């Protein structure tokens, strides 16, 4: 029996089978079109880079690669030779990740686009959580170092400044207070960075996501979202999410806080925030405690009608120290990405003036996760 007969006999669409094979391939795979844009990625690629296609595909893929990039050479060779080509030990730096090494393969698809497949050799791979957000691994070590090396000296500086203030002339007292205030500000920044140095996996239990969101909504309505229209559209049939209650509250409170600030920035009293939940059939993410795939994750969307994310920040929004706020530390969304990654989930966003949506995908609890 030939392949086409077998396909027809089992009642399957050959194109659908090819798409499924691409999506379920264990190796990260990306499709780059003739214009150099990224048009498709599989689950393994999303897991490797910790980002969904919507975020990965922003901008031109080829244009983002440095001059002389081995990946550009690989793509060009595949098109020139009209056949699948391979390159071993390619050093890769993509989407803000630390550089890593992989074997690369490129195959022309006949319409000017190329299928690029990566077999990770080092740097990311298993030792890096499969969905850990880009750039956060190095920040974990940085947070530990800062906490140990800076907090103790800061306490000494603050104490000395207070003593100076007590004995200072009236005209010098404000300078001593400035030292105290700035020391406290640095200490707060270091404490926020300590959140990244906690490597333990979240305590995952089956949770009703709407209980989490109702609590977040109540906190926001009496705080950052005061004066805004708050709307929700919940799917009441959703199964429990597999998550850590405290961490999920932190994730969604941070997202709602950002949405509130954006909506307030309109300045016309018409700011709105919408919270939506849905069940997305056919979407899978890798579980946080292993390599198995969990089916049909739960989706939460936080939407605001503010001015939108500035264009120059969109490709690096989840990176540490990236912020559109003049006084922002740029750690809030980086921490959100880390916590979502620890749940085996994905976070993405889309933005335009008057509409910004952050989307979080989380694994649902399976039968064995629910206490009997």
């Amino acid at each position: 029996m030939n392949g086409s007969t077998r396909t027809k006999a089992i009642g399957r669409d050959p194109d659908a089978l090819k798409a499924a094979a691409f999506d379920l391939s264990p190796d990260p795979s990306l499709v780059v079109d003739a214009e150099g844009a990224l048009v498709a990625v599989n689950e393994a690629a999303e897991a490797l880079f910790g980002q969904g296609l919507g975020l990965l595909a922003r901008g031109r893929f080829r244009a983002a690669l440095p001059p002389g990039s081995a990946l550009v050479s690989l793509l060009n060779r595949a098109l020139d030779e009209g056949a699948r080509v391979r390159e071993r030990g390619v050093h890769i730096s993509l989407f803000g990740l630390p550089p890593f090494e992989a074997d690369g393969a490129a195959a022309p698809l006949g319409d000017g686009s190329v299928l690029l497949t990566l077999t990770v050799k080092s740097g990311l791979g298993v030792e890096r959580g499969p969905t850990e957000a880009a750039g956060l691994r190095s920040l974990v070590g940085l947070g530990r170092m800062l906490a140990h090396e800076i907090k103790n000296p800061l306490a000494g500086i603050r104490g000395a400044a207070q003593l100076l203030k007590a004995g200072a002339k009236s005209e010098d007292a404000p300078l001593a207070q400035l030292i105290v205030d700035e020391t406290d500000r640095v200490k707060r920044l270091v404490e926020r960075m300590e959140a990244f140095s906690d490597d333990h996996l979240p305590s995952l239990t089956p949770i009703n996501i709407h209980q989490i969101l109702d609590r977040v909504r109540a906190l926001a309505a009496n705080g950052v979202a005061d004066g805004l229209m708050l709307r929700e559209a919940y799917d009441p049939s959703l199964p429990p999410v597999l998550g850590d209650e405290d961490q999920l509250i932190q994730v969604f409170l941070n997202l709602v806080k950002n949405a509130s600030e954006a909506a307030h920035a309109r300045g016309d009293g018409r700011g709105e925030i919408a919270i939506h939940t849905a069940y997305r059939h056919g979407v899978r993410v890798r579980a946080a405690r292993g390599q198995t795939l969990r089916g049909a994750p739960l989706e939460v969307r936080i939407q605001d009608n503010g001015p939108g994310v500035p264009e120059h920040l969109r490709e690096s929004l989840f990176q540490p120290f990236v912020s559109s706020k003049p006084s922002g530390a740029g750690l809030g969304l980086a921490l959100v990405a880390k916590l979502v990654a620890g749940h085996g989930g994905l976070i993405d966003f889309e933005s335009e003036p008057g509409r910004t949506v952050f989307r979080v995908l989380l694994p649902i609890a399976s039968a064995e996760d629910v206490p009997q």
Side-chain angles (χ1 to χ4, degrees):
M1 182 180 293
N2 60 37
S4 60
T5 305
R6 183 186 303 274
T7 300
K8 184 176 180 179
I10 62 175
R12 291 290 189 90
D13 178 359
D15 290 336
L17 288 174
K18 291 177 183 177
F22 169 76
D23 203 36
L24 295 176
S25 170
D27 290 326
S29 301
L30 311 91
V31 177
V32 183
D33 71 9
E35 302 299 321
L38 190 62
V39 294
V41 296
N42 68 353
E43 290 177 347
E46 289 185 332
L48 175 65
F49 298 118
Q51 301 172 4
L53 174 62
L55 191 58
L56 293 175
R58 289 194 172 91
R60 288 286 182 262
F61 179 79
R62 280 179 176 264
L65 296 173
S69 167
L71 287 183
V72 172
S73 174
L74 195 62
L75 294 171
N76 290 339
R77 282 179 53 205
L79 290 171
D80 292 342
E81 298 178 19
R84 186 172 186 266
V85 295
R86 294 182 60 86
E87 184 74 32
R88 295 190 180 277
V90 178
H91 292 278
I92 298 171
S93 180
L94 286 172
F95 310 121
L97 286 168
F100 62 97
E101 186 176 294
D103 291 345
L109 299 180
D111 58 355
S113 60
V114 177
L115 171 64
L116 178 65
T117 303
L118 303 176
T119 303
V120 178
K121 305 293 288 183
S122 65
L124 297 175
V126 175
E127 64 182 13
R128 176 184 183 270
T131 54
E132 187 175 353
L136 292 176
R137 191 177 176 204
S138 60
L139 190 62
V140 168
L142 179 60
R144 289 197 188 99
M145 182 273 290
L146 284 174
H148 178 72
E149 298 294 338
I150 294 180
K151 286 180 73 175
N152 288 337
L154 281 178
I157 294 171
R158 190 182 193 281
Q162 287 179 313
L163 290 174
L164 288 173
K165 180 184 176 183
K169 298 177 182 179
S170 58
E171 62 267 25
D172 294 332
L175 292 176
Q177 185 60 47
L178 178 63
I179 297 173
V180 172
D181 293 342
E182 288 300 289
T183 301
D184 288 342
R185 186 175 67 85
V186 174
K187 182 174 180 289
R188 289 193 298 270
L189 176 60
V190 172
E191 287 175 343
R192 290 188 67 189
M193 292 189 64
E194 276 192 284
F196 293 97
S197 66
D198 187 1
D199 279 343
H200 76 277
L201 290 172
S203 176
L204 302 180
T205 57
I207 301 172
N208 184 330
I209 193 63
H210 297 136
Q211 293 179 359
I212 299 288
L213 296 175
D214 284 343
R215 182 170 173 185
V216 167
R217 187 188 188 283
L219 290 170
N222 292 286
V224 292
D226 185 30
L228 300 176
M229 174 70 73
L230 277 171
R231 299 184 291 106
E232 64 273 340
Y234 294 164
D235 180 348
S237 67
L238 289 180
V241 67
L242 192 63
D244 182 301
E245 180 176 3
D246 291 339
Q247 291 191 9
L248 289 179
I249 289 174
Q250 187 174 7
V251 164
F252 294 112
L253 189 57
N254 195 304
L255 292 177
V256 170
K257 176 178 179 291
N258 286 351
S260 299
E261 292 172 350
H264 277 304
R266 290 172 56 95
D268 60 1
R270 298 181 180 180
E272 293 185 5
I273 297 173
I275 305 174
H276 300 265
T277 62
Y279 188 88
R280 295 303 177 197
H281 294 273
V283 182
R284 290 186 298 273
V285 296
R286 297 190 183 278
R289 281 186 163 82
Q291 298 301 311
T292 59
L293 291 170
R294 287 188 174 272
L298 181 149
E299 179 187 79
V300 179
R301 299 198 312 277
I302 309 295
Q303 179 174 330
D304 68 71
N305 63 346
V309 178
E311 186 70 34
H312 69 282
L313 295 181
R314 294 183 183 182
E315 293 188 18
S316 56
L317 193 61
F318 295 112
Q319 298 302 306
F321 308 113
V322 174
S323 176
S324 60
K325 307 170 191 174
S327 60
L331 294 176
L333 285 176
L335 180 57
V336 165
K338 178 181 186 293
L339 296 180
V340 171
H343 281 73
L346 294 171
I347 184 168
D348 197 359
F349 78 97
E350 56 187 71
S351 183
E352 60 186 33
R355 182 180 180 273
T356 296
V357 181
F358 279 82
R359 181 182 68 147
V360 176
L361 295 172
L362 294 168
I364 61 173
S366 59
E368 57 266 26
D369 296 319
V370 180
Q372 301 299 320

